[in-house]
Amino acid sequence: MATVYTLHPDNPQTRTIEQIGAALQAGAVMLYPTDTVYAIGCDLYAKNAVQRVRQIKQLSNDKPLTFLCQSLSNIAQYALVSNTAYRIMRRLIPGPYTFLLPATKLVPRLVMSPKRKTTGIRVPDHPICLALLDVLDNPIISTSAPLLVDGEATSGNSGKPHYSPTRYELFDSLEKLVDIIVDNGTEPGFQVSTILDLTDEEPIVVRRGLGWEEASTWVAEIS
């Protein structure tokens, strides 16, 4: 059964953040709020935890996982950033954007796309995410929490009708699968991040999510 930590949405309590950070370092998997949707996550370098995240989301090892970084300079440790990519990201982060970039050797193979050697990185505009990144000092895996089908968690690929749950429904459906549940008192968002492919000189909007209009504007101006 998961341990529930209640945090203030704007000023998360330092002691509680440190407790969660210590658990993540020890290999815990958590359900937590982001600036888009509730996500499943863990320490980027906790291999067993990353495998558990894949199992929860029913993702095969050839599907890359996104992770959170603290800043643009932090991204440069884990990805190769071209001048074009830098100019676009500098305008958009922090925010609801996932950037597909060529991965460096610091990114575990279990996380990146095995064929393209790329990775998805976000810099969230969310106090709890940023506080956890600060105390952990490692990137945090961030994949959207499973949707619900007939009250049960699903990857979203079942083909059956699903709906956006309340946070308590989400907590109930995942409490036996994760170690930690972070509750900031807000309901889950339903809009995912916008995905920008910045692996080539020509940037591409892969998925329209939150803030895609602004992203499209910068892509058009810089391309």
Side-chain angles (χ1 to χ4, degrees):
M1 194 70 71
T3 301
V4 179
Y5 291 94
T6 302
L7 289 171
H8 190 281
D10 301 316
N11 298 292
Q13 302 90 319
T14 301
R15 183 178 178 183
T16 305
I17 287 290
E18 290 174 347
Q19 290 175 326
I20 298 172
L24 293 175
Q25 287 178 330
V29 172
M30 67 175 173
L31 172 66
Y32 66 109
T34 72
D35 51 349
T36 53
V37 297
Y38 258 81
I40 303 291
C42 63
D43 187 322
L44 178 69
Y45 294 112
K47 183 177 180 180
N48 289 339
V50 174
Q51 285 283 25
R52 287 177 58 200
V53 170
R54 286 192 173 280
Q55 291 169 0
I56 292 170
K57 281 297 295 285
Q58 301 174 33
L59 292 175
S60 60
N61 286 347
D62 62 345
K63 301 293 184 182
L65 288 168
T66 293
F67 58 88
L68 306 180
C69 281
Q70 291 175 289
S71 64
L72 182 53
S73 59
N74 196 215
I75 287 178
Q77 298 179 53
Y78 303 96
L80 303 176
V81 181
S82 67
N83 290 333
T84 298
Y86 176 83
R87 292 199 299 272
I88 291 174
M89 290 191 293
R90 184 167 59 90
R91 296 292 184 178
L92 296 177
I93 62 174
Y97 304 99
T98 298
F99 305 105
L100 301 182
L101 295 159
T104 68
K105 293 181 179 180
L106 288 180
V107 179
R109 290 188 178 184
L110 188 58
V111 174
M112 72 172 72
S113 168
K115 292 182 178 180
R116 299 184 68 200
K117 306 299 183 187
T118 58
T119 191
I121 302 179
R122 289 194 58 211
V123 177
D125 186 13
H126 194 278
I128 290 175
C129 293
L130 294 172
L132 287 172
L133 286 165
D134 183 58
V135 73
L136 185 61
D137 202 30
N138 276 339
I140 296 174
I141 294 294
S142 181
T143 180
S144 59
L147 300 168
L148 294 183
V149 173
D150 298 328
E152 296 183 355
T154 173
S155 66
N157 300 320
S158 65
K160 297 179 180 179
H162 60 260
Y163 63 94
S164 297
T166 67
R167 76 181 193 279
Y168 292 120
E169 288 175 320
L170 194 59
F171 296 170
D172 287 345
S173 70
L174 294 171
E175 64 181 354
K176 294 181 180 179
L177 300 178
V178 300
D179 306 302
I180 293 170
I181 293 174
V182 179
D183 183 5
N184 68 344
T186 63
E187 292 303 318
F190 61 91
Q191 287 186 282
V192 292
S193 65
T194 290
I195 298 178
L196 294 175
D197 188 337
L198 303 180
T199 56
D200 294 320
E201 281 302 311
E202 188 72 25
I204 301 170
V205 178
V206 175
R207 181 178 74 188
R208 295 183 179 186
L210 280 173
W212 77 268
E213 298 93 341
E214 183 177 356
S216 297
T217 298
W218 281 110
V219 167
E221 289 187 6
I222 291 176
S223 299

